[in-house]
Amino acid sequence: MFAKLKERFEKFLNEKNFVTDCLAKIEEKTGIQKRYLATGAVSITGLYLIFGYGASLLCNLIGFVYPAYFSIKAIESTNKEDDTKWLTYWVVYGIFSVAEFFSDIFLYWFPFYYAGKCIFLLWCMAPVAWNGSQVLYTRLVRPFFLKHQATVDSVVNDLSGKAINVAENVTREGTALTLVPFWGFPTCRRFLG
């Protein structure tokens, strides 16, 4: 297994992309091989996630920046499959974020929480067919959604109707308030017409 990971790591370092271009420039200036630079960067990031101040921010940046960049690329491409892939990631990320909001006060105290969270997010965005977002969506999210879709649709329609009524009432009351003098000040209508 370690040999496969090493092989994939070497393959990634030989690809042409932004990260490998930066590593090549640093290698050129320092003389340190790309694989050592990448290993050092991953190790420092991992240690920071375990011991560093602001590990939450770093973990959230890792879970957001890469997927956001590739989501924008997916939007701009004509391929529908990459859109579906990144929409699936964002659905799982959103559910995870809501669940984390309620459980973070307890999970925060676990020593390797942010390292584990980062590994989870990396698994969810991994460019493989069995990545976390696909697995969680097909096994948990989709069955739950299909089971409760009619109920959720009726609740959403009911809430949107109520929201429209509230907006209309606020607009009507706001218009009525402009017609009433406030503490002796002239109304807006006197200034406007």
Side-chain angles (χ1 to χ4, degrees):
M1 179 168 166
F2 183 71
K4 278 187 173 182
L5 285 173
K6 185 177 179 184
E7 181 182 318
R8 290 179 70 188
F9 183 67
E10 292 291 335
K11 183 182 173 188
F12 170 76
L13 290 177
N14 292 324
E15 290 178 359
K16 181 86 171 136
N17 58 46
F18 176 75
V19 174
T20 56
D21 289 346
C22 290
L23 288 172
K25 288 178 185 176
I26 295 171
E27 179 182 21
E28 185 181 305
K29 291 185 180 189
T30 63
I32 301 171
Q33 292 180 10
K34 284 192 287 192
R35 76 177 133 169
Y36 297 128
L37 291 169
T39 303
V42 168
S43 299
I44 288 171
T45 303
L47 288 171
Y48 189 81
L49 284 169
I50 294 170
F51 301 112
Y53 179 77
S56 173
L57 175 63
L58 178 62
C59 189
N60 287 332
L61 284 173
I62 290 169
F64 176 77
V65 173
Y66 178 85
Y69 174 73
F70 280 96
S71 295
I72 294 169
K73 285 184 72 167
I75 291 168
E76 296 302 321
S77 77
T78 56
N79 186 1
K80 182 192 177 304
E81 289 182 25
D82 57 356
D83 295 355
T84 304
K85 173 187 173 184
W86 289 110
L87 279 172
T88 304
Y89 172 81
W90 289 114
V91 167
V92 171
Y93 181 85
I95 292 169
F96 176 74
S97 295
V98 170
E100 183 188 34
F101 175 79
F102 293 106
S103 61
D104 193 39
I105 192 164
F106 305 112
L107 296 175
Y108 172 77
W109 294 102
F110 286 101
F112 303 110
Y113 171 65
Y114 289 113
K117 176 183 173 182
C118 192
I119 289 169
F120 170 76
L121 291 174
L122 288 171
W123 175 56
C124 284
M125 69 177 89
V128 293
W130 46 268
N131 73 20
S133 58
Q134 292 296 326
V135 169
L136 292 173
Y137 181 79
T138 55
R139 292 190 182 169
L140 298 172
V141 176
R142 187 170 188 270
F144 181 83
F145 174 76
L146 293 175
K147 183 178 179 181
H148 300 287
Q149 182 178 5
T151 306
V152 172
D153 283 346
S154 68
V155 169
V156 167
N157 289 335
D158 186 42
L159 288 176
S160 63
K162 288 180 180 178
I164 290 171
N165 289 339
V166 168
E168 288 172 352
N169 288 340
V170 167
T171 304
R172 204 173 311 115
E173 290 174 14
T175 304
L177 284 175
T178 60
L179 299 175
V180 178
F182 182 67
W183 288 339
F185 293 107
T187 62
C188 295
R189 299 258 182 213
R190 287 191 194 156
F191 291 118
L192 298 174

